[in-house]
Amino acid sequence: LAGISGPLIADVLSGQASLNYYTYGGEYRNHTNTSSNGQMLGQEKTSGGTLALRYTPTADLWFTLRGSYAENDDGHEPMAMQRSSANNCYMNRPTQYYCGAIKVTPEMVGLNLEDIDGGGVSRETSRLSLTGEYDRNGYTFTSITGYNNSSEHRKSDQDYQPTRLLGGSLHVDDQIEIESLSQEFRVASPKDGRMHWLAGVSHFGADTWTGRYRYLTKVLQDNGTITTTNLAAFGLVGFVFTDRLSGTAEIRVAE
């Protein structure tokens, strides 16, 4: 992690920049008779950066613009399945199952990584926000705008076995793309009196698309897009009764 910040134009414009990098080698190995035998599982790698600018045109008005970008490149989760041959409960019924602590060991972790391009999770995330605040006679007006965009691929061997169960139909690449935009406005009263209040409105909208690519058929299954919209209004009133007693009442209505 490294960062730098400081003024660009004295008392008017300042900036901040940071970079981060994280890596983890994993602690489990793949056990299979394929070329991925011995390959590490559960690795993690994250890299990203953030840039921010703070603009103060007057003493009672300021804006902060912030943008960030991050990439994740993680290995396949170390997972194993306990066979039904270990079942020990209700053995005289068709719905027999297992009771007790499962008997899974690291040597039982075996995945077809070659069939899923190595497997794991890759993700790209972009975020942008703009915050503005204006003070007038003790009243504070605030605007917060946020934008997010992310794209993810999760390649996995969902039979958790070194063999191709069901002909390899459980080798998939689950994909998800999310785009959202939010906006909030609020106003707060001065806090130097016995009573203070805050009121605001907010809007949030998001589109989430999901799909599943099946390596066996080489077909992308389009699961469609879910659209989410949230509208809300909120308020708060606080009152100081005595030097030792104060109280607040809050309300929020959302659809």
Side-chain angles (χ1 to χ4, degrees), residues 67-239:
S68 66
Y69 175 80
E71 290 186 358
N72 302 92
D73 187 9
D74 301 339
H76 198 294
E77 301 96 328
M79 304 186 74
M81 180 184 295
Q82 181 172 281
R83 298 283 187 170
S84 60
S85 57
N87 288 348
N88 57 13
C89 284
Y90 298 101
M91 301 301 291
N92 59 339
R93 299 183 183 179
T95 56
Q96 58 181 256
Y97 60 94
Y98 182 79
C99 298
I102 61 174
K103 299 176 181 179
V104 173
T105 63
E107 291 73 23
M108 295 172 63
V109 178
L111 305 166
N112 296 119
L113 300 182
E114 298 85 357
D115 295 337
I116 51 176
D117 299 329
V121 178
S122 60
R123 182 188 302 110
E124 296 182 5
T125 305
S126 301
R127 294 186 173 94
L128 187 67
S129 67
L130 175 64
T131 302
E133 190 167 287
Y134 176 60
D135 294 321
R136 183 69 175 178
N137 298 326
Y139 291 88
T140 302
F141 301 86
T142 305
S143 170
I144 304 174
T145 307
Y147 172 80
N148 294 275
N149 185 286
S150 67
S151 177
E152 176 181 307
H153 287 256
R154 185 176 295 269
K155 303 175 182 179
S156 58
D157 175 9
Q158 296 192 341
D159 59 38
Y160 313 131
Q161 298 294 321
T163 56
R164 294 182 178 88
L165 295 186
L166 301 180
S169 60
L170 297 179
H171 297 153
V172 300
D173 176 9
D174 286 317
Q175 304 173 23
I176 180 171
E177 295 181 4
I178 303 174
E179 186 174 34
S180 66
L181 179 66
S182 62
Q183 176 64 55
E184 179 177 309
F185 296 107
R186 63 174 183 253
V187 57
S189 70
K191 295 183 179 180
D192 52 0
R194 297 185 66 184
M195 186 179 75
H196 65 275
W197 53 266
L198 178 148
V201 294
S202 67
H203 171 272
F204 172 82
D207 290 324
T208 303
W209 174 86
T210 61
R212 167 169 284 187
Y213 176 81
R214 298 183 181 274
Y215 286 88
L216 179 64
T217 59
K218 295 181 172 58
V219 172
L220 176 62
Q221 172 184 317
D222 186 349
N223 295 330
T225 300
I226 297 175
T227 298
T228 302
T229 302
N230 183 288
L231 298 171
F234 53 90
L236 174 151
V237 175
F239 192 81

Side-chain angles (χ1 to χ4, degrees), residues 39-84:
Q39 180 176 324
M40 297 301 298
L41 298 171
Q43 315 95 307
E44 299 176 7
K45 184 171 70 172
T46 300
S47 58
T50 300
L51 289 173
L53 292 173
R54 184 180 178 94
Y55 176 52
T56 310
T58 65
D60 52 10
L61 177 65
W62 61 262
F63 299 93
T64 298
L65 177 65
R66 185 182 305 274
S68 66
Y69 175 80
E71 290 186 358
N72 302 92
D73 187 9
D74 301 339
H76 198 294
E77 301 96 328
M79 304 186 74
M81 180 184 295
Q82 181 172 281
R83 298 283 187 170
S84 60

